[in-house]
Amino acid sequence: MSTATAKVARWPWWLQVALVFVAARLVSACIFMAAAVHQGVNPWFPPAPDYWNFITIWDGRWYQQAAEGGYPSELPVDQNGVVKENAWAFYALFPLLGRGLGAITGLGTLQALTAIAMVAGLGAALVIFKLFREVAGIRTAMWGVVFVSTFPVSPILQVPYAESLNLLLLSASLLLVVRRHYLAAIPVVLLMCLSRPTGVPFAAMLGLLLLWRLWQRFGSRASSPLRDGRTTSARGLVALGALVLAAGIGALAWPAIAWAVTGDPTAYTRTETAWRGHDLVPFKPWFDTGRMLFGPVLGVLAPFVFVGLFVLVMMSGPVRALGTELRLWCACYMGYLLVFLHPQTSTFRMLLPLFPLALGAAMLSRSKAYRGTVVVMFLLLQIVWVVWLWAWAQLPGGGDYPP
């Protein structure tokens, strides 16, 4: 270990994590700026915009609209009665915070949203390190944070999107659940449910966790201490049950709010599917996309192959070492994507909540060559993601692939 490295290793953990995250965001900023130089004609601003304009495009403008104009009381529809794209697809916590910060500081809405996203991203990195330390040593947990901070879609953590705020609340919720502070987790989980649509899989994860704890306490012959030496008390089961109930309510809160404001019980789902161009049918979009990419035969098999590969990952030694709660979360979130997601280019961004798998990747090998290669690969893929998906270039049929 070099003298400089040894000196950094003696710094407080939070300073080391902050250094990792800020360094990663500076690299991503350089990628954004390089791509902005080559940005041509687009719907938002003149060609070759500066960095601050370039990072505020796509959904950032929808969050700005939600913050400044609120949400429509009537769903906008076309001449055929089909709901058009509108702000109800974007959960309220992030734009509300942006409006509040703008009112306090005088910042423009997009600038306030960007500031919140950056601070929340740093907070998420700090909480993720503490979460990873629950199941791993300091060095491995730090490498897990490095992987999360440099992940190919990690530039999203410094733009006015709600991903960084959701990542902060999600990681904090998982940390409290892992530590079994179930009642303390309730307000955090409720806020998370109002930041992005992660409430349904989180409630499912908690429900399965409750069933598992009940079986361990009452149904298992070897019911005594768990692997970590702790048993689940009756009070703990009640607290976990309360958290399950709160998460279920939180998961339904935003669709219920959309219903209450618009009078349409399907306002949220109709808005979400406006970007798809067709109604929500569970699982079907995966097979449609499979056939489009791989043909009529392989396309039908592709989703099953994908699920099989994910199961193998979840059964691997490094991922099993993550513990019950983190593995359950990853399984439930992936199940949620399989049921409801329309796979397309935004899918890459939607994989970010699977961040616990970054720790599994760090556990796979302690080799510096392996870990360094992963980081280099992630940084190269950041270039691909920004140039291919963030930068706007009109397709032959109009529009562009969303990031």
mmCIF file of all heavy atoms in Angstrom, residues 141-165:
data_model
loop_
_atom_site.group_PDB
_atom_site.id
_atom_site.type_symbol
_atom_site.label_atom_id
_atom_site.label_comp_id
_atom_site.label_asym_id
_atom_site.label_seq_id
_atom_site.Cartn_x
_atom_site.Cartn_y
_atom_site.Cartn_z
ATOM 1 N N ALA A 141 -16.974 -3.276 1.568
ATOM 2 C CA ALA A 141 -18.097 -2.339 1.538
ATOM 3 C C ALA A 141 -17.738 -1.091 0.743
ATOM 4 O O ALA A 141 -18.561 -0.561 -0.014
ATOM 5 C CB ALA A 141 -18.502 -1.967 2.960
ATOM 6 N N MET A 142 -16.500 -0.621 0.898
ATOM 7 C CA MET A 142 -16.071 0.562 0.152
ATOM 8 C C MET A 142 -16.043 0.281 -1.346
ATOM 9 O O MET A 142 -16.449 1.125 -2.155
ATOM 10 C CB MET A 142 -14.701 1.019 0.640
ATOM 11 C CG MET A 142 -14.281 2.392 0.112
ATOM 12 S SD MET A 142 -15.339 3.731 0.703
ATOM 13 C CE MET A 142 -14.895 3.752 2.459
ATOM 14 N N TRP A 143 -15.577 -0.906 -1.717
ATOM 15 C CA TRP A 143 -15.586 -1.261 -3.135
ATOM 16 C C TRP A 143 -17.016 -1.374 -3.653
ATOM 17 O O TRP A 143 -17.291 -1.041 -4.812
ATOM 18 C CB TRP A 143 -14.817 -2.558 -3.367
ATOM 19 C CG TRP A 143 -13.355 -2.329 -3.575
ATOM 20 C CD1 TRP A 143 -12.345 -2.558 -2.690
ATOM 21 C CD2 TRP A 143 -12.734 -1.805 -4.754
ATOM 22 N NE1 TRP A 143 -11.130 -2.203 -3.241
ATOM 23 C CE2 TRP A 143 -11.340 -1.747 -4.508
ATOM 24 C CE3 TRP A 143 -13.207 -1.374 -5.982
ATOM 25 C CZ2 TRP A 143 -10.434 -1.275 -5.456
ATOM 26 C CZ3 TRP A 143 -12.307 -0.903 -6.937
ATOM 27 C CH2 TRP A 143 -10.937 -0.854 -6.659
ATOM 28 N N GLY A 144 -17.929 -1.848 -2.808
ATOM 29 C CA GLY A 144 -19.329 -1.866 -3.211
ATOM 30 C C GLY A 144 -19.836 -0.467 -3.517
ATOM 31 O O GLY A 144 -20.558 -0.249 -4.501
ATOM 32 N N VAL A 145 -19.449 0.511 -2.698
ATOM 33 C CA VAL A 145 -19.825 1.903 -2.951
ATOM 34 C C VAL A 145 -19.180 2.413 -4.234
ATOM 35 O O VAL A 145 -19.805 3.146 -5.009
ATOM 36 C CB VAL A 145 -19.433 2.788 -1.751
ATOM 37 C CG1 VAL A 145 -19.634 4.264 -2.077
ATOM 38 C CG2 VAL A 145 -20.237 2.406 -0.515
ATOM 39 N N VAL A 146 -17.931 2.019 -4.475
ATOM 40 C CA VAL A 146 -17.259 2.412 -5.719
ATOM 41 C C VAL A 146 -18.037 1.884 -6.924
ATOM 42 O O VAL A 146 -18.278 2.617 -7.902
ATOM 43 C CB VAL A 146 -15.809 1.883 -5.743
ATOM 44 C CG1 VAL A 146 -15.180 2.112 -7.121
ATOM 45 C CG2 VAL A 146 -14.975 2.565 -4.664
ATOM 46 N N PHE A 147 -18.473 0.631 -6.854
ATOM 47 C CA PHE A 147 -19.226 0.049 -7.970
ATOM 48 C C PHE A 147 -20.553 0.782 -8.179
ATOM 49 O O PHE A 147 -20.948 1.062 -9.312
ATOM 50 C CB PHE A 147 -19.486 -1.437 -7.720
ATOM 51 C CG PHE A 147 -18.266 -2.310 -7.881
ATOM 52 C CD1 PHE A 147 -18.333 -3.670 -7.602
ATOM 53 C CD2 PHE A 147 -17.049 -1.798 -8.297
ATOM 54 C CE1 PHE A 147 -17.220 -4.486 -7.740
ATOM 55 C CE2 PHE A 147 -15.927 -2.599 -8.443
ATOM 56 C CZ PHE A 147 -16.015 -3.953 -8.167
ATOM 57 N N VAL A 148 -21.259 1.094 -7.093
ATOM 58 C CA VAL A 148 -22.526 1.824 -7.221
ATOM 59 C C VAL A 148 -22.283 3.211 -7.806
ATOM 60 O O VAL A 148 -23.024 3.681 -8.677
ATOM 61 C CB VAL A 148 -23.235 1.935 -5.856
ATOM 62 C CG1 VAL A 148 -24.469 2.835 -5.963
ATOM 63 C CG2 VAL A 148 -23.647 0.560 -5.336
ATOM 64 N N SER A 149 -21.221 3.878 -7.344
ATOM 65 C CA SER A 149 -20.938 5.255 -7.771
ATOM 66 C C SER A 149 -20.491 5.350 -9.222
ATOM 67 O O SER A 149 -20.625 6.414 -9.841
ATOM 68 C CB SER A 149 -19.863 5.868 -6.865
ATOM 69 O OG SER A 149 -20.305 5.911 -5.517
ATOM 70 N N THR A 150 -19.936 4.270 -9.758
ATOM 71 C CA THR A 150 -19.452 4.292 -11.137
ATOM 72 C C THR A 150 -20.314 3.458 -12.081
ATOM 73 O O THR A 150 -19.971 3.331 -13.258
ATOM 74 C CB THR A 150 -18.003 3.764 -11.204
ATOM 75 O OG1 THR A 150 -17.952 2.424 -10.669
ATOM 76 C CG2 THR A 150 -17.066 4.659 -10.414
ATOM 77 N N PHE A 151 -21.399 2.907 -11.584
ATOM 78 C CA PHE A 151 -22.285 2.070 -12.405
ATOM 79 C C PHE A 151 -22.627 2.798 -13.702
ATOM 80 O O PHE A 151 -22.698 4.044 -13.720
ATOM 81 C CB PHE A 151 -23.550 1.757 -11.610
ATOM 82 C CG PHE A 151 -24.412 0.693 -12.216
ATOM 83 C CD1 PHE A 151 -23.932 -0.607 -12.334
ATOM 84 C CD2 PHE A 151 -25.688 0.970 -12.652
ATOM 85 C CE1 PHE A 151 -24.722 -1.591 -12.901
ATOM 86 C CE2 PHE A 151 -26.481 -0.012 -13.223
ATOM 87 C CZ PHE A 151 -25.997 -1.295 -13.346
ATOM 88 N N PRO A 152 -22.827 2.091 -14.808
ATOM 89 C CA PRO A 152 -23.040 2.759 -16.095
ATOM 90 C C PRO A 152 -24.142 3.813 -16.113
ATOM 91 O O PRO A 152 -24.042 4.792 -16.856
ATOM 92 C CB PRO A 152 -23.364 1.589 -17.029
ATOM 93 C CG PRO A 152 -22.586 0.443 -16.464
ATOM 94 C CD PRO A 152 -22.644 0.625 -14.976
ATOM 95 N N VAL A 153 -25.185 3.644 -15.292
ATOM 96 C CA VAL A 153 -26.242 4.656 -15.272
ATOM 97 C C VAL A 153 -26.102 5.608 -14.090
ATOM 98 O O VAL A 153 -26.990 6.437 -13.841
ATOM 99 C CB VAL A 153 -27.648 4.005 -15.251
ATOM 100 C CG1 VAL A 153 -27.862 3.156 -16.485
ATOM 101 C CG2 VAL A 153 -27.865 3.198 -13.980
ATOM 102 N N SER A 154 -24.985 5.555 -13.367
ATOM 103 C CA SER A 154 -24.809 6.421 -12.198
ATOM 104 C C SER A 154 -24.799 7.914 -12.529
ATOM 105 O O SER A 154 -25.045 8.721 -11.625
ATOM 106 C CB SER A 154 -23.530 6.049 -11.439
ATOM 107 O OG SER A 154 -22.378 6.264 -12.228
ATOM 108 N N PRO A 155 -24.531 8.350 -13.773
ATOM 109 C CA PRO A 155 -24.687 9.791 -14.045
ATOM 110 C C PRO A 155 -26.078 10.320 -13.724
ATOM 111 O O PRO A 155 -26.247 11.528 -13.533
ATOM 112 C CB PRO A 155 -24.378 9.885 -15.545
ATOM 113 C CG PRO A 155 -23.418 8.768 -15.804
ATOM 114 C CD PRO A 155 -23.904 7.651 -14.912
ATOM 115 N N ILE A 156 -27.057 9.441 -13.639
ATOM 116 C CA ILE A 156 -28.412 9.876 -13.313
ATOM 117 C C ILE A 156 -28.476 10.458 -11.911
ATOM 118 O O ILE A 156 -29.430 11.184 -11.568
ATOM 119 C CB ILE A 156 -29.391 8.681 -13.448
ATOM 120 C CG1 ILE A 156 -30.808 9.168 -13.778
ATOM 121 C CG2 ILE A 156 -29.413 7.823 -12.201
ATOM 122 C CD1 ILE A 156 -30.975 9.737 -15.141
ATOM 123 N N LEU A 157 -27.450 10.187 -11.082
ATOM 124 C CA LEU A 157 -27.441 10.675 -9.711
ATOM 125 C C LEU A 157 -27.051 12.145 -9.605
ATOM 126 O O LEU A 157 -27.063 12.706 -8.508
ATOM 127 C CB LEU A 157 -26.491 9.830 -8.858
ATOM 128 C CG LEU A 157 -26.812 8.339 -8.777
ATOM 129 C CD1 LEU A 157 -25.740 7.601 -7.977
ATOM 130 C CD2 LEU A 157 -28.185 8.103 -8.164
ATOM 131 N N GLN A 158 -26.722 12.781 -10.717
ATOM 132 C CA GLN A 158 -26.328 14.195 -10.678
ATOM 133 C C GLN A 158 -27.162 15.049 -11.611
ATOM 134 O O GLN A 158 -26.782 16.180 -11.925
ATOM 135 C CB GLN A 158 -24.838 14.346 -11.006
ATOM 136 C CG GLN A 158 -24.437 13.914 -12.408
ATOM 137 C CD GLN A 158 -22.950 13.647 -12.518
ATOM 138 O OE1 GLN A 158 -22.467 12.590 -12.137
ATOM 139 N NE2 GLN A 158 -22.206 14.626 -13.038
ATOM 140 N N VAL A 159 -28.282 14.532 -12.056
ATOM 141 C CA VAL A 159 -29.193 15.283 -12.922
ATOM 142 C C VAL A 159 -30.531 15.414 -12.195
ATOM 143 O O VAL A 159 -30.789 14.693 -11.221
ATOM 144 C CB VAL A 159 -29.373 14.578 -14.281
ATOM 145 C CG1 VAL A 159 -28.022 14.329 -14.942
ATOM 146 C CG2 VAL A 159 -30.141 13.263 -14.132
ATOM 147 N N PRO A 160 -31.410 16.330 -12.624
ATOM 148 C CA PRO A 160 -32.678 16.531 -11.918
ATOM 149 C C PRO A 160 -33.696 15.419 -12.165
ATOM 150 O O PRO A 160 -34.784 15.639 -12.703
ATOM 151 C CB PRO A 160 -33.162 17.887 -12.450
ATOM 152 C CG PRO A 160 -32.532 18.017 -13.783
ATOM 153 C CD PRO A 160 -31.198 17.357 -13.668
ATOM 154 N N TYR A 161 -33.322 14.221 -11.781
ATOM 155 C CA TYR A 161 -34.207 13.058 -11.762
ATOM 156 C C TYR A 161 -34.381 12.643 -10.301
ATOM 157 O O TYR A 161 -33.537 12.942 -9.454
ATOM 158 C CB TYR A 161 -33.581 11.893 -12.526
ATOM 159 C CG TYR A 161 -33.895 11.829 -14.001
ATOM 160 C CD1 TYR A 161 -33.734 12.951 -14.832
ATOM 161 C CD2 TYR A 161 -34.316 10.646 -14.590
ATOM 162 C CE1 TYR A 161 -33.990 12.872 -16.193
ATOM 163 C CE2 TYR A 161 -34.584 10.570 -15.950
ATOM 164 C CZ TYR A 161 -34.428 11.671 -16.749
ATOM 165 O OH TYR A 161 -34.678 11.617 -18.095
ATOM 166 N N ALA A 162 -35.427 11.879 -10.011
ATOM 167 C CA ALA A 162 -35.718 11.475 -8.629
ATOM 168 C C ALA A 162 -34.930 10.240 -8.200
ATOM 169 O O ALA A 162 -35.069 9.794 -7.058
ATOM 170 C CB ALA A 162 -37.213 11.209 -8.464
ATOM 171 N N GLU A 163 -34.104 9.675 -9.087
ATOM 172 C CA GLU A 163 -33.393 8.443 -8.749
ATOM 173 C C GLU A 163 -32.525 8.568 -7.510
ATOM 174 O O GLU A 163 -32.469 7.659 -6.676
ATOM 175 C CB GLU A 163 -32.550 7.988 -9.938
ATOM 176 C CG GLU A 163 -33.221 6.981 -10.846
ATOM 177 C CD GLU A 163 -34.296 7.595 -11.725
ATOM 178 O OE1 GLU A 163 -34.473 8.833 -11.687
ATOM 179 O OE2 GLU A 163 -34.947 6.850 -12.468
ATOM 180 N N SER A 164 -31.784 9.668 -7.384
ATOM 181 C CA SER A 164 -30.877 9.793 -6.245
ATOM 182 C C SER A 164 -31.653 9.927 -4.943
ATOM 183 O O SER A 164 -31.266 9.341 -3.916
ATOM 184 C CB SER A 164 -29.942 10.988 -6.439
ATOM 185 O OG SER A 164 -30.684 12.162 -6.704
ATOM 186 N N LEU A 165 -32.748 10.673 -4.937
ATOM 187 C CA LEU A 165 -33.582 10.786 -3.733
ATOM 188 C C LEU A 165 -34.182 9.439 -3.377
ATOM 189 O O LEU A 165 -34.183 9.038 -2.205
ATOM 190 C CB LEU A 165 -34.685 11.819 -3.963
ATOM 191 C CG LEU A 165 -35.668 12.017 -2.814
ATOM 192 C CD1 LEU A 165 -34.961 12.536 -1.571
ATOM 193 C CD2 LEU A 165 -36.795 12.972 -3.229
#
